[in-house]
Amino acid sequence: MIIVLKPGTTEEQAAAIQRRIEELGCKPLCMPGTERVVLGALGDERVLAQLRLEGHPHVESVKPILSPYKLVSREFHSHDTTVDIGGVVVGGERLVVIAGPCSVESYEQFDATARAVREAGGHALRGGAFKPRTSPYSFQGLGHEGLKILERVGAETALPTVTEVVEGADVAAVAEHANVLQIGARNMQNYRLLQAAGESGKPIVLKRGFSAELEELLLAAEYVHDRGNPNIILCERGIRTFCSATRNTLDLNAVPWLKARSHLPVIVDPSHGTGLRELVIPMARAAVACGADGLLVEVHCDPSRAWSDGQQSLYPAQFDELMRGLRPFAEAAGRSL
Ligand code: PEP
Ligand code: MN
């Protein structure tokens, strides 16, 4: 529930209310504003009702948070959240494009791709070092060696880096080498991993599971926020449908739906969302037109030799074309690029 305190309420009086919330086994939160203090109380609304705060002398109004997700909901926090990913802000006025290969394969491959991304105007680098592959026989990533390459190339190109973490035990190592931790579609409901990512305090790109409801995605984000980390970027990356023409069906409904209900930034991955290189540019444009805060795109210096996801990776020239063609779509959506 959201508790708006009357102007002039002192810190001690606000703290006393927070103590009563805690005594009921619920979680109090304090959001001091310029004019008045707003308190949050997380827990069972029926239990909280016992406090009868409507009649409290320092309380102006009480509003229940009706959605099952609280911290990530707009009811709780009406303004857009911006996430700083190493000097690049996601969720602000500027559209952010994060690009790079599916996997970090070697210094030469990652460096060549990163330079192409930077030259075309990309804002951040992606590249997997730990790959959660559907088959145990597919390339699983370079692991720690990949993290070192990612960090080195990120520093050399002065671009922030995004890379996936697949288990809680790896969070600290990945957090040491990358600016942003990606939680992949296959791990969206790995709650212990979400909590560990939350505890790291690092910015998180949280991808929607391919069979996940949007409400489940927001509840997954709630696990991260609940561990004290509000730096979450939601990512729509396509879902399973009856349509087998494409790898996934990119659910762009998710963008306005999520943005209406949550204050978190939403980015779109048209690479995994379609699985086909020729669909990436049109779907990237559509994502920007419907209000996405950014894009996550696979680019490879030589897609025909890629160790993973080559068929959906853009050639450097195509990434350049994507960046050039995005501007009018960004402007139509009220953003700069
Ligand atoms: C990826 O970004 O390379 C990836 C594995 O994505 P997803 O988790 O969306 O399949
Ligand atoms: Mn991939």
Side-chain angles (χ1 to χ4, degrees):
M1 95 183 11
I2 293 169
I3 306 142
V4 181
L5 302 184
K6 287 185 180 160
T9 304
T10 64
E11 264 179 40
E12 294 81 66
Q13 288 160 340
I17 298 175
Q18 292 185 73
R19 274 197 301 280
R20 289 184 61 198
I21 295 168
E22 233 167 6
E23 279 158 21
L24 285 181
C26 297
K27 184 172 170 179
L29 293 155
C30 183
M31 297 162 278
T34 42
E35 286 179 17
R36 63 195 67 204
V37 174
V38 176
L39 298 180
L42 300 182
D44 188 328
E45 297 279 341
R46 286 162 305 181
V47 173
L48 287 165
Q50 293 169 24
L51 288 174
R52 305 207 182 284
L53 287 172
E54 299 81 357
H56 191 286
H58 301 302
V59 172
E60 188 167 279
S61 63
V62 174
K63 205 171 93 168
I65 307 175
L66 299 173
S67 56
Y69 38 88
K70 315 279 180 200
L71 295 165
V72 303
S73 78
R74 273 217 194 266
E75 288 176 80
F76 180 71
H77 184 281
S78 60
H79 304 294
D80 287 344
T81 284
T82 56
V83 179
D84 186 328
I85 59 165
V88 170
V89 175
V90 183
E93 189 261 335
R94 193 166 83 145
L95 185 81
V96 172
V97 180
I98 304 165
C102 180
S103 309
V104 177
E105 298 165 13
S106 66
Y107 174 77
E108 290 68 28
Q109 169 258 9
F110 197 62
D111 173 64
T113 308
R115 283 173 200 283
V117 166
R118 194 186 58 183
E119 268 159 42
H123 307 108
L125 286 178
R126 63 147 290 149
F130 293 98
K131 297 302 301 177
R133 306 304 299 282
T134 302
S135 163
Y137 307 118
S138 302
F139 173 55
Q140 303 287 315
L142 294 183
H144 289 90
E145 191 194 331
L147 288 180
K148 286 191 201 142
I149 296 171
L150 180 91
E151 185 176 22
R152 177 173 165 200
V153 173
E156 287 169 356
T157 54
L159 292 173
T161 54
V162 180
T163 196
E164 182 158 355
V165 58
V166 295
E167 63 169 316
D170 292 338
V171 167
V174 177
E176 196 187 313
H177 295 287
N179 295 95
V180 181
L181 310 183
Q182 175 174 313
I183 305 229
R186 290 159 190 79
N187 270 316
M188 188 204 86
Q189 287 178 308
N190 181 341
Y191 299 119
R192 298 291 92 81
L193 177 60
L194 294 169
Q195 289 171 331
E199 279 156 19
S200 78
K202 283 278 197 175
I204 308 294
V205 166
L206 178 59
K207 295 186 112 183
R208 179 185 183 182
F210 29 69
S211 308
E213 290 280 5
L214 292 172
E215 189 173 289
E216 291 169 326
L217 172 60
L218 290 178
L219 284 166
E222 190 82 6
Y223 268 90
V224 178
H225 203 316
D226 183 52
R227 291 293 164 118
N229 188 355
N231 304 308
I232 307 160
I233 300 163
L234 304 170
C235 181
E236 166 58 41
R237 50 77 73 207
I239 51 170
R240 287 273 164 79
T241 68
F242 61 82
C243 176
S244 58
T246 50
R247 181 177 181 183
N248 289 294
T249 297
L250 188 62
D251 178 17
L252 289 183
N253 295 351
V255 177
W257 193 97
L258 290 167
K259 290 196 69 76
R261 287 162 184 79
S262 173
H263 51 86
L264 297 176
V266 179
I267 64 172
V268 170
D269 172 350
S271 306
H272 294 87
T274 62
L276 296 169
R277 178 181 306 127
E278 62 269 33
L279 299 188
V280 171
I281 292 180
M283 295 316 288
R285 293 175 175 180
V288 171
C290 75
D293 294 293
L295 297 169
L296 184 68
V297 182
E298 286 187 343
V299 187
H300 195 287
C301 57
D302 184 359
S304 64
R305 289 170 183 266
W307 295 359
S308 59
D309 286 350
Q311 72 295 342
Q312 67 192 32
S313 299
L314 297 180
Y315 285 87
Q318 288 178 309
F319 181 66
D320 189 58
E321 185 190 334
L322 171 109
M323 292 301 289
R324 287 174 195 278
L326 270 184
R327 198 171 298 278
F329 291 87
E331 281 168 7
R335 292 177 184 273
S336 61
L337 185 60

